[in-house]
Amino acid sequence: MDIPPAYINIDMLIGVDDTDSPKGMCTTYLGAVLARRLLREHMRVHEARLVRLNPNVTFKTRGNAAIALDVKGDTDLAFKIACSTVEELADFSCENTNPGLVVVEESLNSEFYWRAVRDFCEIDDAINILDLANARYRGYKNRRGLIGATAAVASEFPDVTFEILTYRKPERWGTPRSVDRESLFTAQLTTFPQTWDTVDQDNDVVVCVPHTPDPVLFGIRGESPSWVMVARSMIKSENSEIEQIWISNQGTDVHLQKGEIGELKEGLSYFVKGVVTNSPKTGIGGHVSFTIKDGGHSVRCMAYEPTKGFRTIVRHLVPGDIIIAVGSYKKGSINLEKMVVVELVNVISTRPPLCSTCNKRMTSDGRDKGYKCKKCGKHANTPEIQKMPRKLEVGWYEVPPTARRHLAKPLCRFVPYL
Ligand code: ATP
């Protein structure tokens, strides 16, 4: 006798990646549609995970996102529905879109996830893991999407944030988005720091509404489902088709690891401690660069033009300051996402001393000859040494929301928030 799907209750994780292209689609939208199709078949969807992976992967379309759904139901039916959803919605016309779909009934070792978020993986590594786990999987075209899909079902989140993503009605895809700007600023003002990066107040820019032709209308990031819902409820916009709250590793700094200058690997992201060796210079395009060293090795740090006011902070560094540079190592530079000023050197300036007899400022008496008072002729050997005020303090500094990467933890999430 056939058992109806509603009575087959197997726990599974469904992972999907690489379904979009610069022309459209979004893996999270596909995931939200899939969740609804599974629910319609009386399956339970316990959790929808938005999993960001190494931001320096060159094949990514936008933010290197994959998704995983935690589902209870009939595995064969879920796999069938997931395959047909990918085949219907993924943008197969794009050469760079290589969808991957994975369904596992047992949880995978998280080692693959950590490698995918902090390093680079091979397609064959993903396939070996899936074969060993007796997973159901399908890799389309060159099958690269299996990397992200496998990492998504192997993911573990020691720290989490949430994002509500609202998706547009299909007939509006590719047209200008209608979202009330003022309501976005009000939503952030009311709920910050429980939600963040809806807008960039200092630069007067909306951050949460994309400009690409994909289905996303806007996304609100925050500490909990209820906080993102509070902010979302304040936003006036065109009607959405569907909305999904995702649990995510966004905003948690999981892509970062401790690194030593001289041992940094291309495309990995680090915390790197060093001493500033030269005054920051502003180059063509407004990009600011300086060098830090540790022992015999040095590395360039970059604050690019889009990091806006963060560059002003960087320009206040002077040789001898000790910092921790935080960011990805690419083409010989650390591209700064954040930095910690650990120690500031004393900056001093010298000038002729005051005459102890007539209290007038002395003048130089010639090279290496000390100082002389013009009024009374008194002589002094040493200058007056002045400690200059520094425009920086010890502590954390970050790029503004407009320049923030998905995985970067905003300082408003650092506890305690001051
Ligand atoms: P969007 O954010 O709009 O969903 P995307 O930026 O996630 O798009 P994808 O289209 O998913 O970009 O492309 C990223 C590709 O890189 C996928 O095929 C994924 O499997 C693969 N990938 C992800 N992380 C790694 C990694 N660490 N090493 C190698 N390949 C990876």
Side-chain angles (χ1 to χ4, degrees):
M1 188 182 82
D2 277 352
I3 304 169
Y7 295 99
I8 301 176
N9 274 323
I10 296 165
D11 284 314
M12 70 189 107
L13 281 165
I14 304 175
V16 183
D17 195 14
D18 208 343
T19 63
D20 54 7
S21 77
K23 283 193 286 171
M25 196 34 57
C26 168
T27 302
T28 73
Y29 172 74
L30 192 150
V33 171
L34 174 58
R36 280 149 185 78
R37 290 181 181 177
L38 298 174
L39 287 167
R40 231 182 286 146
E41 293 297 328
H42 311 287
M43 296 191 207
R44 284 177 193 200
V45 179
H46 297 296
E47 191 172 85
R49 276 187 224 171
L50 165 49
V51 187
R52 297 282 177 184
L53 301 170
N54 186 345
N56 304 310
V57 160
T58 47
F59 321 108
K60 70 176 183 176
T61 313
R62 286 179 277 270
N64 203 6
I67 65 105
L69 300 175
D70 182 347
V71 177
K72 203 178 186 103
D74 177 346
T75 323
D76 287 324
L77 182 61
F79 184 65
K80 202 171 132 205
I81 294 170
C83 284
S84 65
T85 307
V86 169
E87 284 153 26
E88 176 194 332
L89 294 177
D91 184 2
F92 284 92
S93 69
C94 173
E95 195 198 338
N96 235 343
T97 300
N98 300 287
L101 163 66
V102 168
V103 179
V104 286
E105 289 174 4
E106 60 179 76
S107 45
L108 300 182
N109 188 315
S110 61
E111 192 272 334
F112 190 77
Y113 161 71
W114 286 104
R115 197 143 39 96
V117 80
R118 291 192 171 166
D119 208 324
F120 296 92
C121 305
E122 299 295 331
I123 301 169
D124 285 346
D125 296 338
I127 290 171
N128 284 341
I129 289 168
L130 295 171
D131 285 339
L132 280 172
N134 286 322
R136 291 166 179 77
Y137 64 92
R138 191 162 291 172
Y140 297 85
K141 295 165 71 183
N142 79 10
R143 315 208 281 180
R144 186 176 295 119
L146 285 175
I147 295 176
T150 306
V153 296
S155 63
E156 61 175 2
F157 293 170
D159 180 18
V160 292
T161 63
F162 294 82
E163 178 164 11
I164 180 163
L165 277 161
T166 66
Y167 301 100
R168 313 183 75 194
K169 291 179 184 294
E171 62 271 21
R172 298 194 75 140
W173 294 357
T175 65
R177 290 168 172 86
S178 167
V179 185
D180 180 66
R181 189 180 150 85
E182 211 171 303
S183 69
L184 294 170
F185 278 81
T186 308
Q188 167 132 331
L189 204 69
T190 317
T191 57
F192 182 87
Q194 305 299 338
T195 73
W196 54 85
D197 290 2
T198 300
V199 296
D200 181 335
Q201 221 129 4
D202 290 346
N203 294 301
D204 196 28
V205 176
V206 168
V207 179
C208 71
V209 182
H211 302 287
T212 41
D214 59 88
V216 173
L217 180 57
F218 59 83
I220 306 293
R221 296 175 180 190
E223 254 346 301
S224 69
S226 43
W227 275 110
V228 296
M229 279 304 292
V230 170
R232 190 269 166 272
S233 68
M234 295 178 183
I235 295 164
K236 297 179 197 128
S237 71
E238 66 186 55
N239 288 334
S240 59
E241 183 206 20
I242 51 173
E243 309 198 352
Q244 179 71 48
I245 296 180
W246 297 91
I247 184 168
S248 181
N249 62 354
Q250 292 175 154
T252 63
D253 273 351
V254 272
H255 59 314
L256 301 172
Q257 54 196 300
K258 199 166 169 283
E260 303 289 337
I261 305 175
E263 291 169 19
L264 307 178
K265 258 179 75 186
E266 176 71 19
L268 273 56
S269 309
Y270 295 102
F271 297 98
V272 184
K273 193 168 180 181
V275 182
V276 176
T277 60
N278 69 314
S279 296
K281 286 190 186 59
T282 304
I284 299 164
H287 311 307
V288 176
S289 67
F290 63 97
T291 306
I292 57 172
K293 73 161 194 230
D294 185 18
H297 300 282
S298 62
V299 66
R300 188 171 53 229
C301 297
M302 295 293 306
Y304 284 102
E305 190 282 330
T307 65
K308 304 288 176 202
F310 178 69
R311 294 170 304 157
T312 312
I313 293 156
V314 167
R315 286 189 191 106
H316 293 320
L317 291 168
V318 300
D321 288 343
I322 299 174
I323 68 157
I324 298 172
V326 182
S328 296
Y329 180 67
K330 281 169 108 175
K331 298 188 182 140
S333 301
I334 298 170
N335 300 339
L336 293 175
E337 295 171 13
K338 277 197 274 278
M339 75 174 173
V340 193
V341 175
V342 178
E343 229 177 279
L344 291 167
V345 282
N346 286 330
V347 175
I348 53 162
S349 83
T350 57
R351 59 177 178 171
L354 288 173
C355 173
S356 58
T357 310
C358 37
N359 208 31
K360 288 269 178 258
R361 181 88 38 209
M362 294 174 137
T363 53
S364 170
D365 200 14
R367 202 185 161 119
D368 297 332
K369 287 188 182 153
Y371 304 92
K372 199 168 101 180
C373 177
K374 271 188 177 160
K375 202 169 168 202
C376 70
K378 191 165 184 167
H379 189 269
N381 288 326
T382 49
E384 185 180 293
I385 293 172
Q386 224 188 351
K387 192 175 157 199
M388 302 300 287
R390 295 292 310 267
K391 290 183 179 148
L392 272 179
E393 285 173 13
V394 165
W396 285 90
Y397 296 91
E398 66 181 349
V399 303
T402 44
R404 196 181 338 266
R405 298 179 117 177
H406 299 289
L407 279 168
K409 183 167 166 174
L411 294 190
C412 69
R413 293 204 66 231
F414 283 46
V415 179
Y417 175 69
L418 299 174

